[in-house]
Amino acid sequence: MGQILAIDYGKARCGIAATDDMQIIASGLETVQTSSLIAFLKKYFSENRVDGVVVGLPVDLKGNVSEVETDILKFIGIFRKEFPEVEVHRFDERFTSKMASFFISQSGKSKKQRQEKGLIDKVSATIILQNFLEQRTR
């Protein structure tokens, strides 16, 4: 069994989280510049077995997708061409940034660390992945 990655996709940078090889626990992995995302994934996939990728689905309270969805769909098209053997899942990412900010604030990190957007992206990806894993086991 291989890992599952989650991507909290953004126009400037993406938070990445990964499961363990047993697909039980999600952990924050990295924050990468969006322009370097495919290169990062190529290197990561060459070093690790990855069975699937969960990409956040940015919807608001009314169920409308945000404007970044257009960029996400382009990315998914490129991803599927580069990695046809890796399954792509979508998962609702509502409130993940707010939850990430809350968890970071409770973690004892300094104010400067709490305001680091890259950390929020990485924690958001972790929340997306953990929620995906929990829903899958129900």
Side-chain angles (χ1 to χ4, degrees), residues 66-98:
S66 75
E67 62 184 55
V68 75
E69 177 66 6
T70 303
D71 295 326
I72 293 171
L73 292 174
K74 287 178 190 172
F75 163 73
I76 290 173
I78 294 167
F79 180 91
R80 285 188 167 135
K81 286 179 186 168
E82 290 285 337
F83 313 104
E85 70 286 354
V86 180
E87 193 172 357
V88 177
H89 307 274
R90 300 300 305 275
F91 198 81
D92 186 344
E93 64 175 49
R94 261 180 279 206
F95 306 118
T96 55
S97 292
K98 289 188 186 323

Side-chain angles (χ1 to χ4, degrees), residues 5-135:
L5 291 186
I7 300 172
D8 181 28
Y9 190 94
K11 289 184 183 253
R13 72 193 158 275
C14 300
I16 312 288
T19 65
D20 57 301
D21 289 337
M22 298 297 293
Q23 300 180 2
I24 297 170
I25 297 171
S27 300
L29 184 63
E30 190 74 51
T31 300
V32 299
Q33 296 301 311
T34 301
S35 59
S36 303
L37 182 57
I38 293 292
F40 171 85
L41 293 171
K42 282 181 182 179
K43 182 175 185 324
Y44 191 84
F45 290 0
S46 73
E47 298 168 354
N48 300 276
R49 181 172 168 207
V50 178
D51 292 340
V53 172
V54 180
V55 181
L57 179 63
V59 292
D60 63 19
L61 291 174
K62 295 179 182 177
N64 301 315
V65 295
S66 75
E67 62 184 55
V68 75
E69 177 66 6
T70 303
D71 295 326
I72 293 171
L73 292 174
K74 287 178 190 172
F75 163 73
I76 290 173
I78 294 167
F79 180 91
R80 285 188 167 135
K81 286 179 186 168
E82 290 285 337
F83 313 104
E85 70 286 354
V86 180
E87 193 172 357
V88 177
H89 307 274
R90 300 300 305 275
F91 198 81
D92 186 344
E93 64 175 49
R94 261 180 279 206
F95 306 118
T96 55
S97 292
K98 289 188 186 323
M99 290 170 59
S101 295
F102 173 76
F103 291 139
I104 293 166
S105 73
Q106 300 299 306
S107 70
K109 299 237 183 251
S110 71
K111 184 174 182 178
K112 184 176 181 180
Q113 289 172 316
R114 290 192 310 258
Q115 292 173 336
E116 183 188 329
K117 292 184 190 294
L119 178 60
I120 293 171
D121 294 334
K122 183 167 55 172
V123 173
S124 292
T126 307
I127 293 168
I128 291 167
L129 186 52
Q130 192 64 47
N131 289 341
F132 172 81
L133 292 172
E134 289 170 6
Q135 182 178 3

